[in-house]
Amino acid sequence: MNLERYEFFDSNDYYDYEFYSEGPKGRIRKLVTFAKIPGTEPPIFNLAFGDRFADTGELDDMSITNNLDRDIVLSTVANTINTFCDHHGNHYIYVEGSTPSRTRLYQMGIAGLWEEICLDFEVYGLKDNGWHEFKPNRINYDAFLVKRK
Amino acid sequence: MSTTVKERNTMKGFGPGVVSSDVKSHANDPAVLRQVEKAMETLKRVGLPKQKNK
């Protein structure tokens, strides 16, 4: 994948990542966290993404930044998946927005970068209680499963 | 405090990040716990994708 992305920072165990979105709203600190979903073996990890609460430092998955850099942010998140897989293996990664509209935004982002993303990742969309190979712009999915090839 | 940035500081292509002790674990943040719980319920209900025949 050869997309524009931000530099990012990893935790020592490669479960947590941070980077800064840059745009008209300023520099916004973004967090990506991979957490094992209990009861899954081989493990499946949930990818949580959002802004950092300034006061608590916790992940805020409800914030709306509108910093006009969605594709750069998404390719940076994709890069964190790649780094996570380098250190923890090519496991399924579950991604769902905190709201249906945010899941839709993720879908638009994946679709927009699909020609690059499909080179490195298998992506499945959840619809009607089943997983389907991701098809850009055809169906509104409820969640995504991503696995590095 | 936010500042307006005229040019983005970006790079191209996959590459490693910078390991930093400033990056803390968020595994126990309320939003992460909520998402994991929801993901666990969904996966219990629908399972995994069918494997493709190679």
Side-chain angles (χ1 to χ4, degrees):
Chain A
M1 205 158 85
N2 193 34
L3 295 166
E4 187 178 13
R5 65 169 175 90
Y6 291 116
E7 180 177 43
F8 61 92
F9 300 89
D10 335 297
S11 59
N12 292 325
D13 60 6
Y14 300 97
Y15 283 103
D16 298 272
Y17 300 83
E18 295 190 9
F19 61 93
Y20 286 92
S21 158
E22 298 174 15
K25 301 287 176 70
R27 293 181 87 227
I28 313 289
R29 196 166 170 179
K30 299 285 187 181
L31 306 178
V32 181
T33 289
F34 295 84
K36 184 178 180 291
I37 298 169
T40 57
E41 195 57 46
I44 303 171
F45 292 88
N46 181 78
L47 185 158
F49 168 68
D51 291 3
R52 180 182 182 274
F53 275 121
D55 50 352
T56 65
E58 291 177 346
L59 187 145
D60 172 13
D61 65 350
M62 303 298 274
S63 57
I64 298 171
T65 307
N66 287 333
N67 219 8
L68 303 181
D69 60 349
R70 185 189 69 195
D71 287 353
I72 304 174
V73 167
L74 186 69
S75 66
T76 309
V77 173
N79 204 136
T80 67
I81 294 174
N82 205 48
T83 300
F84 175 82
C85 292
D86 284 344
H87 294 275
H88 296 287
N90 292 355
H91 299 294
Y92 280 116
I93 294 165
Y94 182 97
V95 185
E96 181 178 353
S98 53
T99 63
S101 61
R102 189 171 296 255
T103 302
R104 177 71 182 143
L105 275 178
Y106 290 172
Q107 177 165 345
M108 290 164 62
I110 295 168
L113 303 175
W114 181 240
E115 287 188 10
E116 290 279 345
I117 288 174
C118 71
L119 297 175
D120 298 298
F121 298 100
E122 295 173 21
V123 183
Y124 298 90
L126 177 65
K127 193 66 192 172
D128 299 328
N129 285 322
W131 294 105
H132 307 271
E133 286 187 42
F134 183 86
K135 304 284 185 199
N137 305 320
R138 290 213 184 150
I139 305 162
N140 283 347
Y141 298 111
D142 301 321
F144 307 96
L145 266 181
V146 179
K147 192 174 188 182
R148 190 168 73 169
K149 292 180 178 174
Chain B
M1 184 183 207
S2 296
T3 55
T4 300
V5 176
K6 290 180 180 173
E7 287 188 21
R8 292 188 172 105
N9 183 22
T10 61
M11 51 190 66
K12 278 228 161 187
F14 277 148
V18 177
V19 175
S20 169
S21 58
D22 290 336
V23 179
K24 306 297 183 194
S25 172
H26 295 277
N28 291 315
D29 287 7
V32 176
L33 294 173
R34 172 172 37 80
Q35 287 197 16
V36 168
E37 183 70 27
K38 196 173 175 189
M40 185 169 64
E41 288 172 9
T42 300
L43 289 169
K44 270 186 189 169
R45 193 176 75 245
V46 305
L48 288 173
K50 290 175 184 157
Q51 293 296 309
K52 284 188 279 190
N53 294 324
K54 292 188 178 177

